[in-house]
Amino acid sequence: MASVPSLASSVNQRVADALASALPEAGGADPLLRRSDRADFQANGILALAKKAKANPRELATTVVAGIPTGDLIQEIEVSGPGFLNITVADGAIISTLAARAADDRLGVPLNASAGTTVIDYAQPNVAKEMHVGHLRSAVIGAAMVEILEFTGEKVVRRHHIGDWGTQFGMLIQYLLEHPHELDHKSADGDEQASGEEAMSNLNRLYKASRALFDSDEEFKTRARARVVDLQAGEPETLALWQRFVDESKIYFYSVFNKLDMDIQDPDVVGESGYNDMLVETCKLLEESGVAVRSNGALCVFFEDVKGPDGNPTPLIVQKSDGGFGYAATDLSAIRDRVTNLGATELIYVVDARQSLHFKMVFETARRAGWLSDEVKAVQLAFGTVLGKDGKPFKTREGETVRLVDLLDEAVERATAVVREKAEKVGLTEAEIVENGQYVGIGAVKYADLSTSASRDYKFDLDQMVSLNGDTSVYLQYAYARIRSILRRAGDRKPVAHPELELAPAERALGLHLDGFGELIAEAAAEHAPHKVAAYLYQLSSLFTTFYTECPVVKPEPELVVGENRLFLCELTARTLSKGMSLLGIRTPEKL
């Protein structure tokens, strides 16, 4: 089905047509239509146009109003103040437009006609290291952006740039070759294959032991660095052990992502090692083009606006003086691959804000080299830090970084307790309690992250996250479950749109907000702003609560057509909530 024009776009077009008729030289001008607390919409563009045309703005506004027909779409339009237009849409237009949305599986949300291919780099854990709270935001924000972009018609290629290369692997491999008895991968109950968490616990223990030896023993450090050379050269025994680390780490990664209710596919995991064969050519291309120059033996890219504390330029080092490659070489090679081989028209990097300078320099280098352009852009979707209740970076009581699995398990445990409290009232089985506890707990963690602008820090407060009150996913999930309960209790009565009815204020407010869903999704996709979807859904739930309080749906039973129309608003609200929550990666239980 074709997309459904929103009421706002239809009203905007009608005002624009009348404006062009009243002031021909203003043809195509934007009336600047906005939602208003004085009417349904207010058009503010006439003042600036009148000033430009040296006309009286109120007189121009009056002429424009005279040229706008009322009745079908616009119920009432009046000139306010120096030349604002206050516009009230017809009740019938609200319900007719919503009926068209309800008839479409996509709720009338348009597909982006100019959609391209976006490669989104997110969820980037490190091999042989446990995932901690710092890995949460990249995964959650990135997964939501994937869903939003795909829903608007973008072709999305996922990339998980895991840390699987470098000095630490020479250190780990050398330690294991010298301490082979420590290579124990059996599970705690004696099975041959350890679970994801057990395998990572083993690797984490080995990493700490090898790091301690690396830092204290110069001879071991020398051997470990030589082992890195063996790894880069593809020496079979070294490479086999490295592959074992990677494979066991992936089992662990996938187990954590599974807890997060997130689907990570193996072909999308392309770590630092995936670009190893491109590094030499990347450096050659940069040096031959003059984008990078040799400085004290290192291959560097300089920027006029990037200087160190001493006032001297701080370069992006692509290749070290000893011939080794840093993160810059890998990131630049990844850009080449994503643009050339994957056909990307946009690259999105969901990366900690503390890496902003690095990516600013990498992107500028890629632009100078011609790998990025006006047609192919790269952006960092930078995110802030997860804080504890004290406003400081989230740590354990012992001052250590919080393991992500522990955090997720606690969220599910807290949420399950909340679900269990209401289980008897809504008739949940034990299996449903457990399942809903998972959905509510993980949803609470995701929503707390996504309801905050990505660039801002946020406080991790599980008590607030699993609360039924306030701006939480539980509030939204409960609103959805309540609507489903209402629809079940309606019995034989069905949701039917009745455009002929006069709407109560709460019905109008809910209907107008429902109609804005398509434009909201387009805006969130264009601005890479999943928090706008969360804000929209919270307001939708709040408007529904007001509607349900003021407009009886089931008891007391309203007149048949009024009841059918209200059930129609209930059903469309539920579908919109469910779709919006799914775009954020959050489940909506039918009973809660």
Side-chain angles (χ1 to χ4, degrees):
M1 179 176 173
S3 63
V4 179
S6 68
L7 289 164
S9 63
S10 298
V11 170
N12 196 71
Q13 186 60 55
R14 193 161 291 189
V15 176
D17 291 344
L19 184 55
S21 178
L23 193 68
E25 59 267 36
D30 186 353
L32 300 180
L33 194 75
R34 303 286 184 269
R35 287 298 307 274
S36 171
D37 56 1
R38 297 177 181 275
D40 294 333
F41 299 100
Q42 187 175 78
N44 302 331
I46 289 178
L47 275 74
L49 289 169
K51 184 178 180 181
K52 190 175 180 181
K54 295 183 171 53
N56 182 302
R58 191 171 176 88
E59 288 179 6
L60 176 59
T62 303
T63 304
V64 170
V65 168
I68 298 176
T70 57
D72 59 337
L73 172 63
I74 296 174
Q75 177 180 311
E76 184 181 355
I77 182 167
E78 63 175 10
V79 179
S80 172
F84 301 119
L85 299 184
N86 287 339
I87 303 166
T88 301
V89 297
D91 290 347
I94 294 174
I95 298 301
S96 294
T97 301
L98 294 183
R101 293 197 178 285
D104 179 25
D105 289 341
R106 293 178 49 81
L107 299 172
V109 177
L111 288 167
N112 181 4
S114 59
T117 298
T118 294
V119 177
I120 182 162
D121 188 324
Y122 70 107
Q124 311 108 342
N126 293 308
V127 167
K129 290 184 183 178
E130 288 185 294
M131 291 176 69
H132 54 76
V133 67
H135 291 110
L136 179 66
R137 300 207 72 186
S138 176
V140 169
I141 295 168
M145 278 312 308
V146 166
E147 295 297 326
I148 292 167
L149 289 169
E150 284 189 332
F151 188 58
T152 59
E154 190 81 1
K155 178 186 175 184
V156 178
V157 180
R158 300 155 174 81
R159 277 293 175 265
H160 308 295
H161 192 86
I162 62 173
D164 66 350
W165 206 246
T167 303
Q168 70 267 32
F169 293 100
M171 179 181 79
L172 258 173
I173 294 166
Q174 189 62 33
Y175 181 85
L176 273 178
L177 289 171
E178 296 178 12
H179 303 80
H181 59 284
E182 295 202 32
L183 191 62
D184 179 15
H185 297 290
K186 289 186 179 181
S187 70
D189 58 11
D191 290 343
E192 285 300 315
Q193 181 65 56
S195 70
E197 288 185 40
E198 287 174 326
M200 180 50 67
S201 181
N202 287 332
L203 287 174
N204 206 49
R205 174 180 54 79
L206 292 171
Y207 178 83
K208 289 179 178 178
S210 64
R211 168 55 73 179
L213 191 59
F214 185 86
D215 291 340
S216 63
D217 186 332
E218 285 298 321
E219 291 185 359
F220 175 76
K221 183 181 289 188
T222 301
R223 294 195 299 275
R225 285 177 170 161
R227 185 62 58 182
V228 176
V229 177
D230 291 339
L231 176 61
Q232 291 173 338
E235 193 275 319
E237 185 181 23
T238 304
L239 204 59
L241 272 175
W242 169 81
Q243 190 63 56
R244 189 166 182 175
F245 290 148
V246 172
D247 291 343
E248 294 202 356
S249 295
K250 281 184 178 180
I251 295 170
Y252 164 74
F253 295 156
Y254 297 158
S255 73
V256 178
F257 289 128
N258 189 52
K259 279 182 185 286
L260 266 171
D261 196 15
M262 200 173 286
D263 184 29
I264 303 291
Q265 297 292 329
D266 205 59
D268 302 329
V269 179
V270 183
E272 295 166 358
S273 63
Y275 307 101
N276 200 47
D277 293 343
M278 298 178 67
L279 302 182
V280 171
E281 185 181 13
T282 294
C283 291
K284 181 183 177 184
L285 291 169
L286 290 171
E287 190 168 12
E288 287 180 348
S289 64
V291 172
V293 296
R294 293 286 169 182
S295 177
N296 297 322
L299 186 62
C300 304
V301 182
F302 289 91
F303 309 86
E304 289 184 5
D305 59 341
V306 183
K307 293 182 171 62
D310 57 2
N312 292 322
T314 300
L316 180 71
I317 300 175
V318 184
Q319 187 177 25
K320 303 170 190 175
S321 56
D322 64 2
F325 301 100
Y327 291 123
T330 304
D331 288 332
L332 287 164
S333 296
I335 288 175
R336 286 178 54 216
D337 175 66
R338 293 166 184 183
V339 173
T340 305
N341 297 327
L342 300 179
T345 51
E346 181 176 46
L347 307 175
I348 301 176
Y349 291 77
V350 189
V351 184
D352 192 314
R354 288 170 292 188
Q355 296 188 46
S356 292
L357 178 60
H358 169 77
F359 278 99
K360 176 186 174 183
M361 293 194 290
V362 166
F363 295 161
E364 176 57 27
T365 299
R367 272 190 286 272
R368 292 180 187 179
W371 304 329
L372 294 176
S373 62
D374 291 342
E375 287 72 40
V376 184
K377 60 181 179 177
V379 294
Q380 181 192 359
L381 208 176
F383 56 82
T385 304
V386 180
L387 307 175
K389 291 183 183 180
D390 57 2
K392 297 177 181 177
F394 199 25
K395 303 280 186 181
T396 64
R397 288 178 182 174
E398 295 74 31
E400 295 182 0
T401 303
V402 178
R403 295 196 323 156
L404 185 52
V405 287
D406 294 339
L407 181 150
L408 298 177
D409 287 344
E410 185 179 357
V412 170
E413 185 181 331
R414 296 272 194 99
T416 303
V418 171
V419 172
R420 195 175 294 281
E421 284 179 17
K422 294 183 174 291
E424 189 174 342
K425 183 178 178 181
V426 295
L428 294 179
T429 65
E430 180 60 28
E432 288 173 327
I433 292 171
V434 171
E435 182 178 65
N436 285 0
Q438 291 277 346
Y439 294 164
V440 172
I442 298 305
V445 171
K446 289 182 176 181
Y447 187 84
D449 192 318
L450 293 169
S451 59
T452 304
S453 173
S455 60
R456 295 176 56 191
D457 300 340
Y458 80 97
K459 291 183 181 179
F460 195 94
D461 182 350
L462 272 177
D463 292 328
Q464 173 57 29
M465 288 179 186
V466 298
S467 171
L468 284 167
N469 302 311
D471 188 6
T472 67
S473 68
V474 193
Y475 176 66
L476 273 61
Q477 288 169 319
Y478 182 69
Y480 174 82
R482 182 165 61 171
I483 298 172
R484 285 298 173 208
S485 173
I486 292 166
L487 293 169
R488 287 192 295 271
R489 286 189 286 121
D492 293 336
R493 285 181 295 150
K494 301 298 180 188
V496 181
H498 286 282
E500 73 278 7
L501 291 176
E502 183 177 335
L503 299 178
E507 292 174 306
R508 288 180 57 83
L510 179 60
L512 285 166
H513 193 68
L514 282 167
D515 186 55
F517 184 61
E519 291 177 345
L520 177 279
I521 295 300
E523 184 179 320
E527 298 178 12
H528 308 140
H531 71 279
K532 292 196 170 186
V533 178
Y536 172 90
L537 296 173
Y538 174 62
Q539 189 179 357
L540 177 60
S541 298
S542 300
L543 288 168
F544 177 80
T545 299
T546 302
F547 156 78
Y548 187 62
T549 302
E550 297 181 5
C551 303
V553 179
V554 178
K555 290 184 179 179
E557 187 174 323
E559 182 186 343
L560 179 61
V561 291
V562 173
E564 287 179 339
N565 199 60
R566 288 176 180 172
L567 285 170
F568 164 72
L569 288 171
C570 287
E571 184 178 59
L572 187 56
T573 299
R575 286 178 59 195
T576 305
L577 271 173
S578 181
K579 172 49 71 177
M581 294 283 270
S582 75
L583 295 178
L584 298 181
I586 300 173
R587 305 260 186 169
T588 43
E590 295 291 306
K591 293 192 292 183
L592 191 59

